[in-house]
Amino acid sequence: MRSRQKAAAVLTLWAGALLALTSGTAHAQVVDDTGAWFALFSRGDLGPEGPDNRFKWWFDGHARFFDDTDGFGLSIVRPGVGYTLTDSTTVWAGYGWIHASPATRPDFEEHRVWQQVTWSDQCGDASVGLRSRLEQRFLETGSDTGWRFRQFASYRRPLAYSDRLTLVVWDEAFFHLNDTDWGAETGFNQNRIVVGMGWLCRRAQGRRAEAGYLNNYISLPNRPDVANHLLSVNLFWNP
């Protein structure tokens, strides 16, 4: 019963994120683009291993490519530190550096401070996860601090015919919490949903690769919305 309740909570969160997307952008004009996103995720113990060590480190790096930019579009470097509250819950804080190359504007840099809570558990054979992230964003194109909330939910289930392949589904909804002089408007910002496959490394439990289709829908004020149709390739490399 407990596993079913956890799964129901995750599915409810996904449904809510998609409802926010469709209700806020149903009548907007949409511009389509294609591309490929590549990412590396890694985390581990900060200091000696052991049951009493609750401190963690976090790192993720991204390279994103779009057709409309004729190649490179965005890079992200995001380190952080965390503290484990329970076997399933960890709190985190960190910094992010972003370099963007828009198709219609000069390149610019963004700096972020972020805080998040992650939760993960097993629901039968499947693993589910939640991540709630708060960001403070500082762009070179304006002087205001932008506050943004992101809610992420994931579902991974091994395939019946293979102990190394997994079905992967995840969704993440973004919401601006304030207006800024660089273009953010309070409310729904974007949604990302991925459907793909994962491959587990037998020799190292903390290492796996995932690839699939990513739909990134972005709501833009006073401009047509954007729907990015992307190849998503993620590498998880935990020591």
Side-chain angles (χ1 to χ4, degrees):
M1 178 63 70
R2 186 183 175 191
S3 295
R4 287 197 295 269
Q5 290 174 342
K6 293 175 182 176
V10 173
L11 293 175
T12 299
L13 189 146
W14 284 340
L18 294 177
L19 178 62
L21 168 64
T22 56
S23 62
T25 60
H27 303 290
Q29 181 183 354
V30 179
V31 175
D32 292 285
D33 193 13
T34 59
W37 289 11
F38 303 94
L40 168 68
F41 297 89
S42 186
R43 59 181 175 178
D45 293 326
L46 189 62
E49 294 185 9
D52 296 330
N53 181 16
R54 294 179 174 268
F55 290 96
K56 308 292 181 182
W57 58 265
W58 170 293
F59 176 84
D60 62 273
H62 304 253
R64 299 174 181 174
F65 301 86
F66 301 92
D67 280 355
D68 282 352
T69 58
D70 294 325
F72 172 76
L74 189 78
S75 62
I76 301 175
V77 176
R78 187 162 36 212
V81 294
Y83 184 81
T84 299
L85 299 178
T86 68
D87 290 342
S88 59
T89 305
T90 304
V91 294
W92 304 85
Y95 163 78
W97 174 81
I98 296 89
H99 181 85
S101 296
T104 59
R105 292 181 291 158
D107 291 7
F108 67 89
E109 292 186 356
E110 176 184 345
H111 303 274
R112 295 179 192 168
V113 179
W114 56 270
Q115 307 84 37
Q116 68 183 23
V117 178
T118 57
W119 172 90
S120 60
D121 208 342
Q122 291 294 125
C123 288
D125 293 336
S127 61
V128 294
L130 298 175
R131 183 183 71 211
S132 301
R133 177 180 290 173
L134 184 65
E135 298 176 323
Q136 298 83 55
R137 306 175 65 198
F138 308 89
L139 273 67
E140 291 184 334
T141 54
S143 59
D144 290 343
T145 300
W147 289 73
R148 186 168 69 177
F149 176 73
R150 304 167 54 165
Q151 183 59 59
F152 173 92
S154 64
Y155 177 89
R156 295 176 174 88
R157 185 182 182 89
L159 299 184
Y161 58 84
S162 173
D163 61 352
R164 302 183 71 180
L165 293 176
T166 58
L167 170 69
V168 177
V169 181
W170 61 258
D171 186 89
E172 186 172 19
F174 297 62
F175 300 91
H176 286 141
L177 303 182
N178 66 316
D179 298 341
T180 67
D181 59 0
W182 43 262
E185 288 191 356
T186 304
F188 173 77
N189 170 226
Q190 62 178 287
N191 192 80
R192 299 173 184 171
I193 186 167
V194 163
V195 178
M197 300 292 294
W199 180 85
L200 302 175
C201 179
R202 282 190 180 139
R203 296 181 180 179
Q205 295 294 327
R207 298 175 186 175
R208 69 181 190 275
E210 296 178 354
Y213 167 73
L214 191 161
N215 182 279
N216 176 213
Y217 194 104
I218 306 174
S219 177
L220 297 173
N222 304 316
R223 286 182 289 164
D225 292 353
V226 174
N228 294 310
H229 306 278
L230 306 161
L231 169 66
S232 172
V233 179
N234 297 327
L235 177 63
F236 299 83
W237 194 271
N238 299 329

